[in-house]
Amino acid sequence: MSREQTDGTFGPWQIASDYSCTTDPLYDAAIAAWRSMEITPTSYDLQPNTGYAVTTLGIVPVADGSPQTRTVTLLGTDVQLRATPADFTWSTDDGEAWTTTDPGATYANGGEPHTFDPGERRIHLTLATTWTGEFSLNGGTTWIDAPGTATTTSATTSVHLYNPRSRLVDCDLSGHCDSGNAATAAPSPSLLDPDADGTDNYTVPDDQIDAYLAARG
């Protein structure tokens, strides 16, 4: 603006106010939609998927590494949102945790097992997935990174860990004994029933397993 002077003339031009560049409101709306996007917790499989494992052989967890997409309408425009897994953190309630950037692979595809310290016990395995976000304003032709990350926690899975020990025996599985004596009729220890009480330890419910193992310690 140019202000009128006392003598009736106008002075030099001056900036009347500051200015700023604003972002496209659709971008802001898309980012806000990503931040509130509902992401389904990652599903996963375990090998072996039997409810139990041997500590020295471990388990191979394999997560679903697929991205998730949603379509929302913002300011009259269809906007696609996409959440992509960035890393997977596996943890157990006995203090172990490990993070990978890939979802894992099965035994047949070269998956590496995660082994455990010796000792029979029940663990509870949980998966936390970190997701990065993107959005598309042109039907998925191009994608724009969205700031920040999201985290989901998947359902917990119980795994009974066994710690088998070698035993020197006199008889074979058919009851033939080198000593010539008859094999005992009492139940024999096995992988699933190491205390030979007739109960496969991995079948004991979670809320009873600690007391069960302590009574047979």
Side-chain angles (χ1 to χ4, degrees), residues 69 71 78-82 134-145:
T69 59
T71 300
D78 286 342
V79 176
Q80 286 186 298
L81 307 174
R82 182 166 68 184
E134 299 168 291
F135 62 91
S136 175
L137 306 179
N138 54 13
T141 302
T142 57
W143 293 89
I144 302 168
D145 291 338

Side-chain angles (χ1 to χ4, degrees), residues 127 182 184 189:
L127 169 62
T184 178

Side-chain angles (χ1 to χ4, degrees), residues 55-79:
T55 56
T56 53
L57 299 179
I59 58 174
V60 174
V62 183
D64 180 2
S66 304
Q68 297 184 29
T69 59
R70 305 283 187 272
T71 300
V72 296
T73 301
L74 304 172
L75 305 179
T77 301
D78 286 342
V79 176

Side-chain angles (χ1 to χ4, degrees), residues 7 15 34 46 50 66-67 71 99 114 118 121 131 137 147 171 210:
D7 61 359
I15 296 177
W34 147 248
L46 296 181
T50 54
S66 304
T71 300
T99 299
H114 180 82
R121 61 196 182 277
W131 305 77
L137 306 179
C171 307
D210 289 341

